[in-house]
Amino acid sequence: MNQIEQAREALRNAHRVFVITGAGVSAESGVPTFRGVGGVWKNIDPYKVATPEAFAEDPAFVWQWYDDRRQNLLNLKPNPAHVALAQLESQVDDFFLLTQNVDDLHEQAGSKSIAHIHGSIWEVRCTREETVQTDRRAPLPELPPRCVTCGALLRPNVVWFGETINLDAVNQAESFLLTGDIDAVIVVGTEALFPYIIHWAQSARSERGPLIEINIGETILSPYADIRLDGEAGKILPNLV
Ligand code: OAD
C-alpha cells in the first residue's frame, strides 16, 4: 500500500478524527502564508504589526494592516481542502479541527467542530472591557475603530506575538483529546513551528491512529509523521475522503 492508500484506509475506518490546520490550507484560496516565498512575514516585520507594543505605539498603522487583510479576505472562497475537511467531519462520528488560521474559510466550507487557536480576524475586542464582537465590515468606517459602549480602542481579536493563545480553543482541543482514542490525526499546511502544535499532534496520535502530515515539503513535524503526503492540500485532501 502506498502512503495515500494508507491514509485513505485509516480514514475509511476512523470514528474519531483530529485535524490541525495552518496557513497552507488557505493558500489555494489566495490567502498568503506567513513564511516561504511571498509569505506575509517576508514583506513586513511581525513586530511592527503583530505585537501589543506595536499596537500601543501606532494603533492606526496596525489596524490599517488588518483592514487590508480583511478586505482581501472578503473576496476569497474556500478551496477543495476546506471542503474535503468539512465532508470528512460529516462522515465520522467525532471530529475536531484546530486551526491556526484567523480567516473563516473552514466555517464557510461547512466545518462545525472548530476552534481558532490564534483568534479570528473578523472579531474585534474592546481594549478596556475585553468584550468581543464579530464585525465583518471591510473596510471599517473608522481606523482605529472604537468601542461603541465605552469609547476605548478596539483591537483585532487575534493572538499577537508574546500573547497567550486562545484558552477557550485550548480547552476544547484538550477535552476532545481526553474523551478517547483518536483513529487518525491530520496536520495540514503548517510549518508546525509552535511547540503546542507538535505537542497536540503527538499526543493525539494513538496506537491505532496514524499521524498524517500533508504539506508541500518537509517541516519539523515530518520526522514524527507516520504518513507524509507531499503536495497541495487542495489536491490531496479531496482524494482522501
Ligand atoms: P506558515 O506560513 O509558517 O507555513 C505554511 C505551511 O504551509 C508551509 O509549511 C508550506 O509548505 C505549507 N503550504 C503552503 N501552501 C500549501 C498548500 N497549498 N498545501 C499544503 N501545504 C501548503 O504558516 P503557519 O504554520 O500556519 O501566527 O504559521 C503559524 C502561525 O505563524 C500563524 O498562525 C501566525 C504566524 O505567525 C500568528 O499570527 C500568531
Side-chain angles (χ1 to χ4, degrees), residues 6-238:
Q6 282 176 38
R8 257 199 224 124
E9 177 77 4
L11 292 175
R12 207 177 6 253
N13 299 321
H15 296 284
R16 302 193 80 231
V17 176
F18 183 65
V19 180
I20 300 176
T21 66
V25 88
S26 291
E28 289 157 75
S29 292
V31 184
T33 60
F34 291 94
R35 300 166 186 91
V37 183
V40 170
W41 298 150
K42 297 274 178 210
N43 300 317
I44 189 145
D45 178 355
Y47 292 94
K48 292 209 166 82
V49 288
T51 60
E53 293 78 17
F55 186 70
E57 197 170 305
D58 195 344
F61 178 79
V62 170
W63 258 116
Q64 186 62 63
W65 190 71
Y66 279 94
D67 203 51
D68 291 346
R69 287 176 70 201
R70 286 161 59 104
Q71 288 183 57
N72 181 45
L73 277 172
L74 260 195
N75 304 311
L76 304 183
K77 298 270 172 293
N79 68 58
H82 298 108
V83 174
L85 288 173
Q87 197 184 328
L88 178 61
E89 177 172 1
S90 70
Q91 287 171 2
V92 298
D93 300 330
D94 216 2
F95 178 96
F96 193 75
L97 197 170
L98 192 68
T99 186
Q100 296 164 85
N101 299 344
V102 296
D103 65 57
D104 67 352
L105 294 173
H106 281 303
E107 286 90 339
Q108 284 189 44
S111 287
K112 304 263 183 306
S113 264
I114 173 169
H116 289 260
I117 197 77
H118 293 158
S120 165
I121 200 165
W122 296 116
E123 290 176 353
V124 294
R125 187 164 96 225
C126 175
T127 52
R128 185 181 297 152
E129 300 166 328
E130 294 291 314
T131 44
V132 173
Q133 268 169 352
T134 300
D135 188 337
R136 294 188 62 90
R137 291 173 300 170
L140 283 163
E142 175 204 15
L143 291 183
R146 292 193 169 269
C147 176
V148 283
T149 45
C150 77
L153 279 176
L154 294 172
R155 59 165 281 179
N157 192 33
V158 298
V159 176
W160 283 328
F161 287 94
E163 294 186 321
T164 313
I165 50 177
N166 183 331
L167 284 181
D168 190 40
V170 172
N171 289 337
Q172 287 181 55
E174 298 276 349
S175 76
F176 183 81
L177 296 182
L178 284 173
T179 306
D181 272 358
I182 313 282
D183 302 308
V185 186
I186 306 176
V187 180
V188 45
T190 178
E191 280 293 306
L193 285 182
F194 297 110
Y196 44 86
I197 299 300
I198 302 269
H199 165 75
W200 279 316
Q202 292 234 61
S203 57
R205 155 216 267 142
S206 65
E207 262 171 36
R208 58 186 171 152
L211 172 54
I212 304 167
E213 184 187 48
I214 303 170
N215 204 301
I216 302 175
E218 294 206 353
T219 72
I220 54 171
L221 185 69
S222 303
Y224 307 105
D226 301 298
I227 301 173
R228 273 209 68 245
L229 303 175
D230 203 314
E232 291 174 310
K235 297 216 170 68
I236 292 172
L237 273 165

